[in-house]
Amino acid sequence: MALRPWLSFGNLARQFGAALLLKKTTGWRYFMPWLASGALRSIPVAGGAVGMGCIGYGRHPVWEVTEACNLRCAHCHATSSEPSPGELTTAEGKRLIRQVVELRYMQMLVYTGGEPLMRPDLDELLAFSRDEGLVNVIATNGTLIDDARARELKRLGVRGVAVSLDSTDPAVHNRIRRNPRAFEL
């Protein structure tokens, strides 16, 4: 596979500049430890750098792979435990992934939902995306990930996981997520 454009000096400089700006504006006291241990690991995850979020990179595709979700969060449009009838099939999803790869300036694909881990063919799509040269990122509520699932996601090319937390207070988080165990899970 050819060198992806995200590994350009411009992208790396923009990422570093964004990290410096974040440090300055927020007083990010863990900047130096992040720079020493997390900065290089964050490079492949263009839209979700370790320790600083989606800062420093431009466009990145986000695919809502399903409307199905195991929670009923107060703020969310995904209120069904079932997929929407208009969701892409596995074959259509693979075509979409190929189209993202053909854009050449995209290096990663964010899978979201609903809850992406409820999509039955997600592993197949992640493996296909990985094999096509994309970095996989998942935006999830985190309730369906245990140690074994985390290892499997890593094997499937998932390099970043964005887990939604509505509060550090379990009672508040659970109330918003409308599940008494959401924070624990």
Side-chain angles (χ1 to χ4, degrees):
M1 183 176 82
L3 181 66
R4 301 293 284 187
W6 57 268
L7 197 51
S8 70
F9 177 76
N11 254 357
L12 296 175
R14 191 168 43 252
Q15 176 75 1
F16 183 71
L20 285 176
L21 181 61
L22 182 70
K23 177 189 184 307
K24 180 178 172 128
T25 58
T26 66
W28 184 18
R29 64 180 184 210
Y30 298 108
F31 174 76
M32 291 308 291
W34 171 81
L35 190 60
S37 67
L40 292 178
R41 288 183 300 133
S42 74
I43 291 170
V45 187
V50 175
M52 55 182 262
C54 297
I55 297 172
Y57 283 89
R59 298 168 284 224
H60 59 277
V62 178
W63 177 18
E64 187 173 292
V65 295
T66 187
E67 286 190 14
C69 189
N70 60 323
L71 297 178
R72 302 290 170 269
C73 304
H75 59 274
C76 190
H77 71 282
T79 59
S80 173
S81 59
E82 299 298 320
S84 167
E87 292 176 7
L88 299 181
T89 65
T90 305
E92 291 168 335
K94 289 179 178 180
R95 268 196 304 277
L96 174 70
I97 292 166
R98 277 194 206 99
Q99 290 170 349
V100 169
V101 170
E102 289 169 6
L103 292 174
R104 307 208 50 82
Y105 59 86
M106 299 293 185
Q107 88 162 63
M108 50 94 63
L109 180 58
V110 177
Y111 292 79
T112 186
E115 173 50 55
L117 296 172
M118 290 195 60
R119 185 171 169 129
D121 63 350
L122 182 67
D123 289 7
E124 182 178 350
L125 294 168
L126 289 170
F128 184 80
S129 178
R130 176 202 61 210
D131 294 347
E132 290 291 310
L134 293 173
V135 172
N136 296 320
V137 175
I138 294 181
T140 175
N141 62 39
T143 61
L144 301 175
I145 301 176
D146 58 16
D147 288 343
R149 186 65 172 136
R151 281 190 290 282
E152 180 64 10
L153 291 171
K154 182 177 180 180
R155 188 188 70 73
L156 292 166
V158 174
R159 296 283 297 272
V161 178
V163 177
S164 303
L165 286 175
D166 298 307
S167 175
T168 56
D169 179 336
V172 173
H173 178 78
N174 292 345
R175 185 172 61 249
I176 293 170
R177 296 291 162 155
R178 297 181 179 159
N179 180 309
R181 294 189 60 231
F183 191 88
E184 174 189 348
L185 292 170

